[in-house]
Amino acid sequence: MRKMLRWVAARKLTITFFLLGLVILLFIFVPLLKMVFSSDPGILWDTLGEGEVRSAIWLTLYAALIATVVGLLLGVPLAYFLARHRFRGKRFVETLIDIPIVVPHSAAGIALLFVFGQNFFVGKAFNSVGIDFVSAVPGIVIAMLFVSVPFLINSAKNGFEKVDVRLEKVARTLGASPWQAFFRVSLPLAWRSIFSGSVMMWARGISEFGAVLILAYHPMVAPVMVYERFEEYGLDYARPVAVILILVCIVLFIALRSLAYRGEKA
Amino acid sequence: MRKMLRWVAARKLTITFFLLGLVILLFIFVPLLKMVFSSDPGILWDTLGEGEVRSAIWLTLYAALIATVVGLLLGVPLAYFLARHRFRGKRFVETLIDIPIVVPHSAAGIALLFVFGQNFFVGKAFNSVGIDFVSAVPGIVIAMLFVSVPFLINSAKNGFEKVDVRLEKVARTLGASPWQAFFRVSLPLAWRSIFSGSVMMWARGISEFGAVLILAYHPMVAPVMVYERFEEYGLDYARPVAVILILVCIVLFIALRSLAYRGEKA
Amino acid sequence: MIEIKNLTVDLGTFSLQDINLKIEPGEYFIVLGPTGSGKTILLESIAGLYPIKSGEIWLNGTEVTKVEPEKRGIGFVYQDYALFPHLSVKGNILFGLKQMKRPKGELQSTVDWIAGLLGVSHLLERKPETLSGGERQKVALARALSISPQVLLLDEPLSALDPQAREDVQHELREIHRRLETTIIHVTHDFEEAIALGDRIAVLGEGHILQIGTPEQIFRQPSSEFVARFAMARNIFSGEVHDAEEGDSILSIGDLELAVVTELRGKLHASLRPEDILISKEAVISSARNSLRGTITRIDNRGSTLYLTVSTPLDFVCLVTRRSFEELGLKAGEEVYITFKASAIHVF
Amino acid sequence: MIEIKNLTVDLGTFSLQDINLKIEPGEYFIVLGPTGSGKTILLESIAGLYPIKSGEIWLNGTEVTKVEPEKRGIGFVYQDYALFPHLSVKGNILFGLKQMKRPKGELQSTVDWIAGLLGVSHLLERKPETLSGGERQKVALARALSISPQVLLLDEPLSALDPQAREDVQHELREIHRRLETTIIHVTHDFEEAIALGDRIAVLGEGHILQIGTPEQIFRQPSSEFVARFAMARNIFSGEVHDAEEGDSILSIGDLELAVVTELRGKLHASLRPEDILISKEAVISSARNSLRGTITRIDNRGSTLYLTVSTPLDFVCLVTRRSFEELGLKAGEEVYITFKASAIHVF
């Protein structure tokens, strides 16, 4: 007993901080767990049987994946550029990249509608080649891309910053062009960060609700469906779809995240 | 001319990456800028004159600030705990902390409604001391807290990880208790990261739409007002509020972010 | 006085085992060991900053094994200084003093005294990032000394410095030790540093204390091949010791027979320091000495001194000063005689 | 052959200015300078990895100033090795060879040959993180040599190693240079390293080349106080040189008069190396020598050698081996005589 008191006395800070931290962890998980575990499996199963639900989930995953691929093609080069160059206003550019995270999603949706709708030349240009954004899959993709690409850019940038620039320099002296140095040295070494940023981007794309709601209510993605059912029929009817969606998100996220961390030292 | 060609030839990778990166930067900014600059200042001024709009914006800022203060009190201890301890399953806890970012916000709102509504003991307990969450300010605060606290925890954790643990050890040998070492060494040194995480959390709180929409349509926060006006009266009527909201967000975010970076080397 | 009894520390991949040390008050004690031998962890264990698995630590007759680090009164200086980057030099030195809640006037006079002692008075308002390596190390020393520690623990205090700052700080350490008579435990991987500063040296290898003794003993009489190598003996042989006429001993290494002074017999090791070998152009004959003829096969120039390898055919490494080297006009390939006393060979 | 003409590099806080070097084919060239003197940047400029402000770099008669690094054929070894952590040792060595698109059989034989040359054949399948410092440095050398570079640039190749690995890699460098006859430019802040390896040495200080010469010249005839300090001359004086009888020269330092050999006159500097001073218990008189009586005031023990400070009252630092020290039975406070040749004093 005295020994235990002493153990506690020597760790007052750690124990206090642990308990405070536990409050926030519980705040995050209790709602999610409570919702998942208090659901009737039969109802969940029936809900999954609805073609409408399945196609909404499928559409969500698919659109977010396209957004992530676009993010990889355009965001990774930007991340590398920012990791390797210093210039006046770099901090400003970095702040700008975070802005989609902090702009209210409903307002972001309106801004995107404005540019990609048919009143502005961008929307018109795409329309002339047969791509429509309003109430169409491309609209969902750009809404997801807008809100989720900062996660990939930031993660990839961190990854590239951790690659010692002298490794690239050595590669150059060994006969590699800048491209070869990038593909044979920098990219493999930053790969883990890029992958984990992509997972975050994909998951964040799946989670988007506000911007998609405004840009493309239909075809209906799963987060919008949750809201629609809540609005039209109330909490009990919305819950099964919400549970399924949360489960899909969490399972995918945890699985891919552990893949990204695999073999890495904690 | 030959000199310029040579300059370009030696920088093919940099130029290509810069141009690809520019596409994504333009994709982020053109919608925001276009929306802000094509707005009639007179209409914006009139909109700001509406008491409803002003009080919605004020409520948004205020609720997000309360969420951030709660996040500081509970999230910073957790961040310090995670930065200083290694344990089995730490990666898992870190992944769990990111989950609010990737859970669809509408579904998150339903989960919170479920726990903080009056059917579950948590909601009931708070109700008995006079705190209601549904359609009330506390509901807005917890919705914001849920979706935005990961940003503060992650940023503070990075900040604490960068503080050499040996500085705390030296402080101990100089007579400081663990608490004194924390408040006199670790906290001042991680302060910049904590502050910039708080800015991110506050801004992210302001931006939340989906979860707030479900938990508390009223009292109305600004992102919900944007959506309401869009739904009820269409794009043109929603735009001035969206523009004001975007401006408030961006100005606050850039100002506070530069405060956080002030004096730091890029 | 500090006493360490049967200390065992777990280091993950290996462990420090059964460390027993008894350090006298006012002693300058060196722990010498290669990189990664757990020297820093040993110091952190003494200071209470690293959890020990078993064993006891006694400070001036009191067991402190479970006492918290802030109550031990032990000064600690890390290799790369670990100055508080958010505080000025003065703030760093004041950190421990403020903790003691002394009156304000006393604080100022203590800071002035300590800063004067270490010659950092002109730096008090500067931030650590603006200081040179040598200056940082002096500030770190001043900070550790500010609390008048019973023991001062130094973790490789010179190894992050460049050669000139190293000599400077080394001189400072000797001065502090002389003036304050603080007990010092200093860990290092540099044998020259150990011998220049230590009253006694403990050699740490593979998780154990291999030998404890005065610099002279470690230098002259290493107890194992590991210690001999670490002390840069350079000439380390394996051979057999047997009786010679007149009660003397002979060490046989292959065909070579050397006169040695030892009571030991059988298959043993022997070390011979390079500076104990005299090089000459003509033979030197004496009953107490070993003299061999050989060829210079390698010259390793160190500036003021040179290491010559002489093949007899067994290779001997010899140290000569540049002056002797030039006066003798030595060249690679030349035939020379090497001579050393029987007593210069240490058999173990 | 490599030639650097009027090279100027901007380093932000300061700049390297008007660097002119001409390095002969097969030469082992050392650039010696303190930490932060821009040595790494100089090497990176030569390799084309750092933008130069003005000046030209010529390699075997061709100007390469604007040529991209991958087309220069220059091997580069960084201080902390910079091995590719995602590739095995073999992958690291193959990196440059694959770039050259050689036939596969040739690749294998080249790797085997290089790995054998550096003694890393047994490590080929290991990842860099599992290697010791010395092994990493050898792999980095093997990788740089794999492309048969015209010039090998070494950035402080020994400074991150502990003493034993340092001797080992130093030996390896000497062997490589002897066997492959590669031109090597090696930068370091360690004077002993410079003198042990260099055919010629350039001393870099405050952004300029201060002196270029053989180790002997830098060592014996420093051209400035900076170089003398860097070469650890230890005895550096300021005085006035004037005529003595019989055409000799006298250096006056305060009351002290020393015989020197120089054509120079006036207020000048002089350096005297500690190993050029002979310590004895009795006076040694000779016309060609300076002999002074003094007291040993400080003993700095370096293990095999000792530095003694003798106050005459001007302080002289002298080097003795431990053997001489013990044979003479020297102690602090003792009166001794110090003797040195007039020609041992270098006036500048």
Side-chain angles (χ1 to χ4, degrees), chain D residues 134-168:
Chain D
E135 288 167 345
R136 284 179 205 201
Q137 192 56 291
K138 287 185 197 170
V139 174
L141 280 166
R143 183 179 62 178
L145 289 168
S146 69
I147 54 161
S148 311
Q150 304 190 55
V151 185
L152 184 60
L153 305 182
L154 308 176
D155 180 15
E156 306 232 4
L158 306 176
S159 64
L161 302 173
D162 51 14
Q164 270 154 10
R166 195 174 296 177
E167 286 195 12
D168 181 25

Side-chain angles (χ1 to χ4, degrees), chain B residues 6-28:
Chain B
R6 189 176 215 168
W7 190 90
V8 169
R11 284 166 186 78
K12 261 184 277 180
L13 176 113
T14 304
I15 293 168
T16 311
F17 277 23
F18 174 77
L19 292 176
L20 286 174
L22 203 58
V23 173
I24 202 86
L25 284 176
L26 290 176
F27 169 68
I28 293 177

Side-chain angles (χ1 to χ4, degrees), chain A residues 144-185:
Chain A
M144 287 174 168
L145 180 64
F146 185 84
V147 298
S148 64
V149 78
F151 292 94
L152 174 57
I153 296 176
N154 287 335
S155 179
K157 182 164 68 84
N158 281 339
F160 285 125
E161 275 167 357
K162 275 186 215 142
V163 177
D164 189 345
V165 69
R166 291 175 313 160
L167 294 177
E168 293 170 11
K169 289 185 172 180
V170 166
R172 296 293 300 280
T173 67
L174 292 169
S177 69
W179 295 91
Q180 288 166 324
F182 176 76
F183 284 107
R184 291 185 62 191
V185 177

Side-chain angles (χ1 to χ4, degrees), chain A residues 4-65:
Chain A
M4 212 184 111
L5 280 178
R6 189 177 215 168
W7 190 89
V8 169
R11 282 166 188 77
K12 259 184 277 179
L13 177 115
T14 304
I15 293 168
T16 311
F17 279 23
F18 175 76
L19 292 177
L20 287 173
L22 203 59
V23 173
I24 202 85
L25 285 177
L26 290 177
F27 169 68
I28 294 176
F29 299 108
V30 168
L32 300 176
L33 290 179
K34 164 78 186 149
M35 187 150 109
V36 170
F37 286 107
S38 65
S39 292
D40 181 336
I43 295 180
L44 288 186
W45 187 251
D46 290 347
T47 309
L48 255 184
E50 294 176 43
E52 198 190 33
V53 172
R54 280 211 310 275
S55 72
I57 289 177
W58 178 245
L59 174 64
T60 315
L61 298 181
Y62 170 76
L65 192 61

Side-chain angles (χ1 to χ4, degrees), chain C residues 7-283:
Chain C
L7 182 75
T8 297
V9 190
D10 196 357
L11 300 174
T13 50
F14 71 112
S15 60
L16 289 181
Q17 277 170 10
D18 276 332
I19 305 294
N20 282 287
L21 292 174
K22 200 166 170 172
I23 294 147
E24 300 301 324
E27 193 171 24
Y28 201 121
F29 193 86
I30 301 261
V31 178
L32 181 67
T35 315
S37 60
K39 303 190 297 295
T40 302
I41 301 292
L42 176 61
L43 288 193
E44 289 196 343
S45 305
I46 296 172
L49 299 168
Y50 196 94
I52 66 179
K53 223 170 137 187
S54 66
E56 293 173 10
I57 293 162
W58 292 69
L59 207 60
N60 293 331
T62 321
E63 196 193 337
V64 297
T65 321
K66 307 252 173 215
V67 173
E68 297 185 317
E70 60 265 34
K71 289 172 191 145
R72 294 196 188 190
I74 289 180
F76 205 110
V77 176
Y78 276 106
Q79 179 173 1
D80 44 6
Y81 333 123
L83 296 176
F84 301 126
H86 59 308
L87 300 177
S88 65
V89 167
K90 188 171 174 180
N92 269 277
I93 299 176
L94 273 172
F95 191 97
L97 292 169
K98 278 188 183 160
Q99 218 63 50
M100 296 164 115
K101 307 206 192 322
R102 293 270 179 77
K104 207 152 189 201
E106 201 183 318
L107 285 188
Q108 187 58 49
S109 64
T110 313
V111 169
D112 288 345
W113 178 76
I114 297 255
L117 182 73
L118 279 137
V120 294
S121 306
H122 58 298
L123 305 172
L124 285 176
E125 302 308 324
R126 303 249 303 263
K127 277 288 180 76
E129 57 187 337
T130 69
L131 304 179
S132 74
E135 288 167 345
R136 285 178 204 201
Q137 192 57 292
K138 286 186 199 169
V139 174
L141 280 167
R143 184 179 60 179
L145 289 169
S146 69
I147 55 161
S148 311
Q150 305 192 53
V151 185
L152 184 60
L153 306 182
L154 308 175
D155 181 16
E156 307 232 4
L158 306 176
S159 65
L161 303 172
D162 50 15
Q164 271 153 7
R166 195 175 297 177
E167 287 195 13
D168 182 23
V169 173
Q170 185 169 315
H171 179 66
E172 215 63 62
L173 284 174
R174 207 184 278 114
E175 274 301 295
I176 287 166
H177 183 242
R178 195 180 58 76
R179 288 184 53 181
L180 303 184
E181 294 179 345
T182 315
T183 311
I184 295 180
I185 307 181
H186 169 148
V187 308
T188 178
H189 68 261
D190 183 330
F191 183 70
E192 282 193 6
E193 204 175 302
I195 216 160
L197 288 167
D199 292 326
R200 279 194 305 151
I201 297 174
V203 181
L204 192 66
E206 288 147 10
H208 294 271
I209 299 272
L210 298 174
Q211 188 172 0
I212 302 182
T214 63
E216 194 65 23
Q217 284 166 344
I218 304 288
F219 199 72
R220 291 265 175 220
Q221 296 151 27
S223 65
S224 63
E225 210 183 317
F226 183 93
V227 177
R229 270 191 208 292
F230 216 86
M232 296 281 183
R234 284 174 199 277
N235 300 298
I236 301 170
F237 310 113
S238 303
E240 198 165 347
V241 180
H242 43 81
D243 293 326
E245 316 93 76
E246 303 163 34
D248 285 354
S249 314
I250 290 287
L251 170 67
S252 302
I253 309 160
D255 294 338
L256 200 68
E257 298 212 324
L258 300 174
V260 294
V261 182
T262 181
E263 303 286 296
L264 303 170
R265 290 292 177 271
K267 283 193 189 292
L268 290 159
H269 292 280
S271 70
L272 172 63
R273 300 208 57 89
E275 68 273 18
D276 286 339
I277 304 176
L278 180 75
I279 292 204
S280 57
K281 290 226 163 175
E282 256 124 83

